[in-house]
Coordinates of all heavy atoms in Angstrom, one line a residue:
D1 N 0.9 -1.1 0.0 CA 0.0 0.0 0.1 C 0.8 1.3 0.0 O 1.7 1.5 1.1 CB -0.9 0.0 1.3 CG -2.1 1.0 1.1 OD1 -2.2 1.5 0.0 OD2 -2.7 1.1 2.1
A2 N 1.0 1.9 -1.1 CA 1.8 3.2 -1.2 C 1.0 4.3 -1.8 O 0.0 4.1 -2.5 CB 3.1 2.8 -1.9
K3 N 1.5 5.4 -1.7 CA 0.9 6.6 -2.3 C 1.4 6.8 -3.7 O 0.5 7.3 -4.4 CB 1.3 7.9 -1.6 CG 0.8 8.0 -0.1 CD 1.1 9.3 0.5 CE 0.6 9.4 2.0 NZ -0.2 10.5 2.2
S4 N 2.5 6.3 -4.1 CA 2.9 6.2 -5.5 C 3.7 4.9 -5.7 O 4.1 4.3 -4.8 CB 3.6 7.4 -5.8 OG 4.8 7.4 -5.2
Y5 N 3.7 4.6 -7.0 CA 4.3 3.3 -7.4 C 5.3 3.7 -8.6 O 4.8 4.5 -9.5 CB 3.4 2.2 -7.9 CG 2.3 1.8 -6.8 CD1 1.2 2.3 -6.7 CD2 2.7 0.8 -5.9 CE1 0.2 2.0 -5.6 CE2 1.9 0.4 -4.9 CZ 0.6 1.0 -4.8 OH -0.2 0.5 -3.9
K6 N 6.4 3.2 -8.6 CA 7.5 3.4 -9.7 C 7.9 2.0 -10.2 O 8.2 1.2 -9.5 CB 8.6 4.1 -9.1 CG 9.7 4.4 -10.2 CD 10.8 5.2 -9.5 CE 11.9 5.4 -10.6 NZ 11.6 6.7 -11.4
F7 N 7.7 1.9 -11.6 CA 8.1 0.7 -12.3 C 8.2 1.0 -13.7 O 7.8 1.9 -14.3 CB 7.1 -0.5 -12.0 CG 5.7 -0.2 -12.3 CD1 5.2 -0.4 -13.6 CD2 4.8 0.3 -11.4 CE1 3.9 -0.1 -14.0 CE2 3.4 0.5 -11.7 CZ 3.0 0.4 -13.1
D8 N 8.8 0.0 -14.4 CA 9.1 -0.2 -15.8 C 7.9 -1.1 -16.5 O 7.5 -1.9 -15.8 CB 10.5 -0.6 -16.3 CG 11.5 0.4 -15.9 OD1 11.2 1.7 -15.7 OD2 12.6 -0.1 -15.7
Y9 N 7.7 -0.9 -17.8 CA 6.9 -1.8 -18.5 C 7.4 -2.0 -19.9 O 7.7 -1.0 -20.5 CB 5.4 -1.3 -18.4 CG 5.1 0.0 -19.1 CD1 4.5 0.1 -20.4 CD2 5.4 1.2 -18.5 CE1 4.3 1.2 -20.9 CE2 5.2 2.3 -19.1 CZ 4.4 2.4 -20.4 OH 4.3 3.7 -21.0
P10 N 7.3 -3.1 -20.5 CA 7.8 -3.3 -21.8 C 6.8 -3.2 -23.0 O 7.2 -3.2 -24.0 CB 8.4 -4.8 -21.7 CG 7.4 -5.4 -20.8 CD 7.0 -4.4 -19.8
F11 N 5.6 -3.3 -22.7 CA 4.6 -3.4 -23.8 C 3.7 -2.1 -23.7 O 2.9 -1.8 -22.7 CB 3.7 -4.5 -23.5 CG 4.3 -5.8 -23.8 CD1 4.7 -6.6 -22.7 CD2 4.7 -6.3 -25.0 CE1 5.4 -7.8 -22.8 CE2 5.5 -7.5 -25.2 CZ 5.7 -8.2 -24.1
K12 N 3.7 -1.3 -24.7 CA 2.9 0.0 -24.8 C 1.5 -0.3 -25.4 O 1.4 -0.9 -26.4 CB 3.7 1.1 -25.8 CG 3.0 2.3 -25.6 CD 3.7 3.3 -26.4 CE 4.9 3.9 -25.9 NZ 5.6 5.0 -26.6
T13 N 0.5 -0.2 -24.5 CA -0.9 -0.3 -24.8 C -1.6 1.0 -24.6 O -1.1 1.8 -23.9 CB -1.4 -1.6 -24.1 OG1 -1.4 -1.2 -22.7 CG2 -0.7 -2.8 -24.4
F14 N -2.9 1.1 -25.1 CA -3.7 2.2 -24.7 C -3.9 2.2 -23.3 O -3.8 3.3 -22.6 CB -5.0 1.9 -25.5 CG -6.1 3.0 -25.0 CD1 -5.9 4.2 -25.5 CD2 -7.0 2.7 -24.1 CE1 -6.8 5.2 -25.2 CE2 -7.9 3.7 -23.7 CZ -7.9 4.9 -24.2
A15 N -4.0 1.1 -22.5 CA -4.2 1.1 -21.1 C -3.0 1.6 -20.3 O -3.0 2.3 -19.4 CB -4.7 -0.2 -20.5
S16 N -1.8 1.1 -20.9 CA -0.6 1.6 -20.1 C -0.4 3.1 -20.4 O 0.1 3.7 -19.5 CB 0.6 0.8 -20.6 OG 0.9 1.0 -22.0
E17 N -0.7 3.5 -21.5 CA -0.5 5.0 -21.7 C -1.5 5.9 -20.8 O -1.1 6.9 -20.4 CB -0.7 5.3 -23.2 CG 0.5 4.8 -24.0 CD 1.9 5.2 -23.6 OE1 2.0 6.4 -23.5 OE2 2.6 4.3 -23.1
K18 N -2.7 5.3 -20.6 CA -3.8 5.9 -19.8 C -3.3 5.8 -18.3 O -3.3 6.8 -17.5 CB -5.1 5.4 -19.9 CG -5.9 5.6 -21.2 CD -6.0 6.9 -21.5 CE -7.3 7.5 -20.7 NZ -7.6 8.9 -21.0
M19 N -2.5 4.7 -17.9 CA -2.0 4.6 -16.6 C -0.9 5.6 -16.2 O -0.8 6.1 -15.1 CB -1.6 3.2 -16.3 CG -2.7 2.1 -16.2 SD -2.0 0.6 -16.0 CE -1.1 0.5 -14.5
K20 N -0.2 5.9 -17.2 CA 0.9 7.0 -17.1 C 0.3 8.4 -16.6 O 1.0 9.1 -15.9 CB 1.7 7.3 -18.4 CG 2.7 6.2 -18.7 CD 3.4 6.6 -19.9 CE 4.6 7.5 -19.6 NZ 5.6 7.5 -20.6
E21 N -0.9 8.7 -16.8 CA -1.5 9.8 -16.5 C -1.9 9.9 -15.0 O -2.3 11.0 -14.4 CB -2.8 10.2 -17.3 CG -2.4 10.2 -18.8 CD -3.7 10.3 -19.8 OE1 -4.8 10.4 -19.2 OE2 -3.5 10.3 -21.0
K22 N -2.0 8.7 -14.5 CA -2.4 8.6 -13.0 C -1.4 9.3 -12.0 O -0.1 9.0 -12.2 CB -2.7 7.2 -12.6 CG -3.6 6.4 -13.4 CD -5.0 6.9 -13.3 CE -6.0 6.0 -14.1 NZ -7.3 6.4 -14.1
S23 N -1.8 10.1 -11.1 CA -0.8 10.7 -10.1 C 0.0 9.8 -9.3 O 1.0 10.1 -8.8 CB -1.6 11.8 -9.4 OG -2.6 11.1 -8.7
Y24 N -0.6 8.6 -9.1 CA 0.0 7.7 -8.1 C 1.0 6.8 -8.8 O 1.5 5.9 -8.2 CB -1.0 6.9 -7.4 CG -2.0 6.1 -8.1 CD1 -1.6 4.8 -8.5 CD2 -3.2 6.6 -8.5 CE1 -2.6 4.0 -9.2 CE2 -4.1 5.9 -9.3 CZ -3.7 4.6 -9.7 OH -4.7 3.8 -10.4
L25 N 1.2 7.0 -10.2 CA 2.1 6.0 -11.0 C 3.2 6.8 -11.4 O 3.0 7.9 -12.1 CB 1.4 5.3 -12.1 CG 0.2 4.4 -11.5 CD1 -0.5 3.8 -12.8 CD2 0.9 3.1 -10.9
D26 N 4.4 6.4 -11.4 CA 5.6 6.9 -12.1 C 6.1 5.7 -12.9 O 6.9 4.9 -12.4 CB 6.6 7.3 -11.1 CG 7.9 7.8 -11.8 OD1 7.9 8.1 -13.0 OD2 8.9 8.1 -10.9

């Protein structure tokens, strides 16, 4: 349980690009 998460991802999808916009994801 964290205020933000930082990770890499290898597959660019519509969903992953939308996830980039979330304030709790880096």
